[in-house]
Amino acid sequence: LHKGIAVNANTATALELEPGIEVVAVQGESKVMLPLFIDERLPDNTVLLPSGLSETAGFGEAATTIQLVRGQL
């Protein structure tokens, strides 16, 4: 399991994101910044954000929309 945010290559390309860059996951009022990983096991437009990390503690609900953006918190 990656200690970061994972999407497949199609989703990364569509969002103009490259593996290894820091991306911010936004879900409602919650935000977390982690490195981006490519995981081809994921379907298009799916974000894998691992729970149980100190960085993701208290982050939003499990099955709701997450927006990914480049940048800083």
Side-chain angles (χ1 to χ4, degrees):
L1 184 63
H2 306 292
K3 188 176 180 181
I5 298 166
V7 296
N8 71 17
N10 288 340
T11 301
T13 298
L15 296 174
E16 299 180 359
L17 301 173
E18 301 86 32
I21 66 166
E22 295 285 318
V23 294
V24 178
V26 181
Q27 185 183 52
E29 298 298 315
S30 299
K31 295 180 183 179
V32 63
M33 187 167 66
L34 293 166
L36 183 72
F37 292 92
I38 301 299
D39 187 335
E40 290 302 339
R41 298 172 295 176
L42 298 171
D44 289 347
N45 302 311
T46 299
V47 176
L48 176 63
L49 183 62
S51 60
L53 300 176
S54 59
E55 296 91 330
T56 60
F59 190 84
E61 297 178 28
T64 60
T65 301
I66 296 174
Q67 178 185 9
L68 295 181
V69 294
R70 274 183 200 269
Q72 302 171 0
L73 290 176

